[in-house]
Amino acid sequence: MEESEGRLSKPVAVIACIAMTLFYVAILYAPTLILRLPPPQSYENFMIRRFICAAVCSVASVIFCALVLPITSGEASYSFGVYGIRSDHFWQAMVFPLFLTSLMYAGSLMLKSMLLVNKWKEHRHQEGEPLLGCIKSTLLSLPGQMSSVASNVLFWRNFIVAPVTEELVFRACMIPLLLCGGFKAYNAIFLCPTFFSLAHLNHMMEIYSRHNYSLLKASLVVGLQLGYTVVFGSYASFLFIRTGNIAAPLVAHAFCNYMGLPVLFVHGKGLVSITFVAGMVSFVWLLFPITRPDLYNENTNNCRCWQGYCSWNH
C-alpha cells in the first residue's frame, strides 16, 4: 500500500484503540449485567462464558478495523495480511521468536532442569531404577499428563484463548490503526501496551473481592501485573512490527504465560543466576538480528503487513 493512500488521523486512531479496549473489558461482564443470565454454576462454566465473550470481541474488533482502516484491496490474503495473519514464513515466525523469548527465561529453564534431574535421582535412589529407566517412565507418562492438562479450563485460558484474543485485539488490530494514524513504529510499541495494561485494571476489583485483600494490597498486586503487562506488551508489539506476523507475539505470549516471571536468583543455586545473566545478554545481543524483517518477508519494500511497516522505516 502506498504512503499517499488514505490515512487516519491520530485522534481517530487513539479513540478507536480506547473503544476496543473498553469493549474487550465490558463484554466480559455482558452475560450477567446486560443479558441478565443467571450466575454460572461452576468455575468452568464461568470461564467458558468469558471465552465466548473474548472470541466475540476479537471478531468484532477485526471487523471494526476493516471498516475503519483504508483497505482498498479486496484480496483475502492482503486483508488478512494487514492483521499479520499469514501462512508464509510461518515456521520462522514461530521458532525464532520462541527461541528469543526463551533466552529471557534461561534461569527458569535451568532451575526446572535441575529440579527434574534431582527428581530422577531421588526416584532412582528409592526404586533402584537406572537413570534411563526414569527418563523412559517420564516420557511414557507424558500422554496422560497432556490429556489431563488439555481438559483443564485454565490451560485453555492461559495458552489458547488469552493469547489468541489479546494478540488479535491489542496487536493485530491496534498496531495497524496506530501506524495508519501516523504514529512512528517506536511510538506504537510503547503506546499499544498502555491500552493492553488498561484492559487488566478490572483485575483489581476481582482480586479485592475474591481474595479478600485490602485495597492497598490489591493495588500493589495489580500494579505489579500492570508493570509486567506493559513490559511484555512492548515486547509483543516489537515482535509484531518487526515480523509482520501475528504468530510471533502469539507464541511468545503463550510461552510467557507458561513460564510466569523469570527466575533471577535461587539460594544455593548460583548456576541459575549465572544462566539468567547469560540468557539476558544473549537476548539483548540477538534482539534485532533475529527479528530482521527480511527473515519473515520475501521483500521488505513490498511486505504484506500494513503499509510496509516491517521494513522499520517508520
Side-chain angles (χ1 to χ4, degrees):
M1 186 168 184
E2 299 296 331
E3 285 285 335
S4 59
E5 290 189 35
R7 300 179 71 97
L8 301 175
S9 67
K10 287 185 177 180
V12 169
V14 171
I15 291 172
C17 289
I18 293 175
M20 284 191 293
T21 301
L22 294 176
F23 184 56
Y24 188 88
V25 176
I27 198 172
L28 297 178
Y29 302 93
T32 52
L33 297 181
I34 298 177
L35 300 180
R36 300 295 182 181
L37 296 178
Q41 297 180 349
S42 66
Y43 181 73
E44 182 175 326
N45 290 338
F46 170 76
M47 291 308 303
I48 290 174
R49 280 189 185 182
R50 290 212 155 181
F51 292 169
I52 295 172
C53 292
V56 170
C57 177
S58 300
V59 173
S61 296
V62 169
I63 295 173
F64 173 71
C65 286
L67 297 175
V68 174
L69 289 170
I71 301 175
T72 56
S73 174
E75 184 183 351
S77 61
Y78 177 87
S79 299
F80 282 115
V82 169
Y83 303 103
I85 302 173
R86 299 160 41 193
S87 58
D88 61 289
H89 297 81
F90 182 75
W91 77 266
Q92 292 95 328
M94 293 285 288
V95 175
F96 293 160
L98 179 60
F99 170 72
L100 181 66
T101 307
S102 68
L103 293 176
M104 292 189 290
Y105 290 93
S108 304
L109 294 171
M110 175 58 70
L111 178 61
K112 287 180 180 293
S113 300
M114 294 170 69
L115 294 175
L116 182 60
V117 170
N118 289 337
K119 181 180 177 181
W120 283 343
K121 288 181 178 178
E122 290 178 6
H123 184 73
R124 179 185 179 185
H125 177 73
Q126 293 174 358
E127 304 294 334
E129 189 176 3
L131 182 59
L132 288 178
C134 295
I135 296 175
K136 182 179 178 181
S137 62
T138 300
L139 293 177
L140 291 175
S141 66
L142 282 179
Q145 293 178 2
M146 292 176 64
S147 176
S148 175
V149 168
S151 62
N152 190 328
V153 70
L154 292 179
F155 167 85
W156 288 94
R157 183 194 71 176
N158 294 333
F159 307 127
I160 306 296
V161 178
V164 170
T165 59
E166 290 180 359
E167 293 308 317
L168 273 175
V169 174
F170 295 98
R171 245 66 68 184
C173 290
M174 290 191 183
I175 288 178
L177 283 170
L178 294 173
L179 293 173
C180 187
F183 288 94
K184 301 295 185 182
Y186 54 83
N187 292 139
I189 284 175
F190 295 106
L191 184 58
C192 194
T194 303
F195 302 117
F196 185 53
S197 62
L198 290 176
H200 292 75
L201 279 176
N202 63 307
H203 292 173
M204 185 171 76
M205 293 311 299
E206 292 183 359
I207 292 174
Y208 176 68
S209 59
R210 287 186 187 176
H211 299 281
N212 200 27
Y213 285 177
S214 66
L215 188 58
L216 176 60
K217 188 175 182 179
S219 300
L220 291 175
V221 171
V222 173
L224 178 63
Q225 290 180 347
L226 293 183
Y228 179 75
T229 56
V230 168
V231 173
F232 171 77
S234 299
Y235 174 60
S237 299
F238 174 86
L239 288 177
F240 184 75
I241 291 178
R242 291 282 284 180
T243 65
N245 198 315
I246 191 62
L250 200 158
V251 69
H253 193 150
F255 183 76
C256 288
N257 280 358
Y258 172 72
M259 296 299 296
L261 292 175
V263 175
L264 312 182
F265 171 81
V266 177
H267 181 70
K269 292 182 172 63
L271 184 58
V272 172
S273 298
I274 294 173
T275 308
F276 169 76
V277 173
M280 288 304 301
V281 170
S282 301
F283 172 81
V284 173
W285 182 50
L286 293 173
L287 181 60
F288 279 88
I290 210 170
T291 59
R292 287 198 336 261
D294 62 299
L295 292 175
Y296 307 89
N297 301 274
E298 294 294 345
N299 185 351
T300 55
N301 293 322
N302 189 32
C303 56
R304 298 166 65 189
C305 48
W306 183 254
Q307 294 184 329
Y309 60 75
C310 64
S311 63
W312 202 251
N313 292 328
H314 300 299

